[in-house]
Amino acid sequence: MKKILVTGGCGYIGSHTVVDLIENGFEVISIDDNSRSTTYLLDGIEKITAKKVKNYKVDLKNFDETLAVFQENEDISGVIHFAAFKAVGESVEKPLDYYENNICSLVNVLKCVKEFDIKYFVFSSSCTVYGNPDAIPVTEASPEKKPESPYGATKQMGEQIVKDFSIQSSGNSILLRYFNPVGAHPSCLIGELPLGKPQNLVPAITQTAIGKLPQMIVHGNDYPTRDGSCIRDYIHVCDIAHAHTLALQFLIDKKNQSTCEIFNLGSGNGTSVLEAINAFEKVSGTKLNYVIGQRRPGDVVAIYANNNLAVNELKWRIQYELDDMMRTAWNWELKIKEDENLIRQQNHVLN
Ligand code: WQD
């Protein structure tokens, strides 16, 4: 059984990927300093998989501590690197925190991958590298644009670091460019736990619907789109998670043509903010309290993926539609309301 290290394994996409890896026969360990995540999701992983996943609570900016984890686990076959700060707005306010955390962590992990001659490396990237695309849907060959935020810059830099590393390395890498991951595991045992006031659309919708937020603001309805609101490619987190397992297997089976391959992970469908709200109201049976507000600086007008490469090369089959995304997100919000006190007790990070 191949052992895979997932960095950020206690986080949103990381935890769902840990579940998918275990369900597909891999042994998994995690490194997560829980600075932006919770041990609550580790419990959920155990309930779903009946496996207790060991998490090393290590700051990846500390090379010696990171190396010690690899020394203790010399049988690591592959690494999937999620651990990073990812709040666009916060990255504008605290750019140095983002460059230090996201870049230093990545470099330290890659130094260990090199040290232990690990052959498979998967990097969590983002559609943010495309900026405001000239043409949609975007393919992996679509031009990258100047990043709209330091967060986006760390993703572009991260991709370049992995590409350059892969040329020298004896192993191979894959860059996975997520579009907008949303929803929660159908068991309601793991899902997204945003810190503080949610920036992203779907947690903002569900927290408004459950009463945690008084009202949601739609950031602009005067864009040149079919209903004036921004268009995005929403993709269920479980579909994203399974794509990581497929990417790893793709490298294990030596299907890659180059040392570093890139795949778009999006549904291939564009959905506007107002359409997403309508889908939520339909599946939840609740009316969302929202107002139309100002445009949000840095927002892309419209983007969605051409996902043919992931479908054809990784044999990726998307299982969840928009309604499933909204339904699982809402069921998760209802679930964490029940466990709110437990989550607060376990994790100081949530406020
Ligand atoms: C989507 C749309 C908002 C909240 C971000 C990151 C990207 C990726 C996905 C990591 C926009 C609108 C939102 C609200 C709103 N993350 N919105 N009211 O900005 O497309 O992408 O998350 O890889 O890197 O940038 O996602 O969910 O923040 O916004 O109207 O309260 O919803 O303006 O049009 P985004 P988002």
Side-chain angles (χ1 to χ4, degrees), residues 24-276:
N24 284 277
F26 291 95
E27 182 190 351
V28 183
I29 58 170
S30 165
I31 295 181
D32 193 315
D33 65 2
N34 293 142
S35 64
R36 302 288 174 101
S37 61
T38 73
T39 49
Y40 180 79
L41 296 183
L42 274 183
D43 301 340
I45 291 169
E46 186 174 354
K47 287 175 188 156
I48 296 169
T49 65
K51 291 268 198 307
K52 193 164 187 56
V53 172
K54 181 167 181 50
N55 178 61
Y56 292 83
K57 192 167 179 174
V58 160
D59 180 349
L60 292 170
K61 296 193 293 296
N62 183 317
F63 177 69
D64 292 339
E65 285 183 17
T66 304
L67 183 68
V69 175
F70 283 80
Q71 286 165 334
E72 191 180 314
N73 296 276
E74 294 204 14
D75 53 347
I76 292 172
S77 298
V79 174
I80 303 182
H81 181 59
F82 291 101
F85 293 164
K86 66 148 196 132
V88 171
E90 183 188 46
S91 78
V92 174
E93 289 160 29
K94 303 175 182 172
L96 295 185
D97 290 1
Y98 271 67
Y99 288 116
E100 181 184 41
N101 185 69
N102 292 6
I103 303 303
C104 289
S105 299
L106 171 60
V107 170
N108 281 344
V109 170
L110 288 175
K111 284 162 78 174
C112 294
V113 166
K114 178 177 170 57
E115 176 74 20
F116 290 88
D117 195 23
I118 291 168
K119 301 296 185 193
Y120 317 118
F121 183 79
V122 178
F123 177 65
S124 161
S125 189
S126 166
C127 63
T128 196
V129 302
Y130 299 116
N132 241 321
D134 301 325
I136 45 178
V138 291
T139 71
E140 291 80 357
S142 293
E144 294 181 31
K145 292 290 186 70
K146 183 181 172 307
E148 305 271 344
S149 68
Y151 161 75
T154 66
K155 285 302 176 186
Q156 282 192 350
M157 288 175 197
E159 287 199 354
Q160 193 57 54
I161 291 167
V162 175
K163 284 173 190 167
D164 293 342
F165 168 76
S166 301
I167 294 167
Q168 295 303 319
S169 156
S170 63
N172 294 294
S173 302
I174 284 183
L175 310 177
L176 295 177
R177 290 176 177 166
Y178 313 153
F179 281 68
N180 288 55
V182 296
H185 192 273
S187 66
C188 268
L189 291 166
I190 54 175
E192 188 171 10
L193 284 172
L195 306 182
K197 188 173 180 306
Q199 296 306 305
N200 295 137
L201 178 65
V202 172
I205 289 175
T206 57
Q207 288 198 17
T208 302
I210 206 157
K212 273 187 192 168
L213 295 175
Q215 186 175 60
M216 198 193 96
I217 297 170
V218 171
H219 297 312
N221 70 343
D222 58 351
Y223 286 97
T225 62
R226 51 184 178 265
D227 64 13
S229 64
C230 291
I231 289 176
R232 294 290 183 275
D233 182 329
Y234 298 99
I235 177 77
H236 196 282
V237 64
C238 289
D239 282 322
I240 292 267
H242 189 56
H244 287 75
T245 303
L246 293 173
L248 204 51
Q249 200 56 58
F250 181 81
L251 292 177
I252 292 167
D253 297 344
K254 300 188 179 355
K255 297 271 181 63
N256 54 300
Q257 305 292 313
S258 71
T259 58
C260 184
E261 305 218 0
I262 303 173
F263 295 95
N264 281 342
L265 295 187
S267 69
N269 302 314
T271 301
S272 77
V273 173
L274 295 173
E275 289 163 349

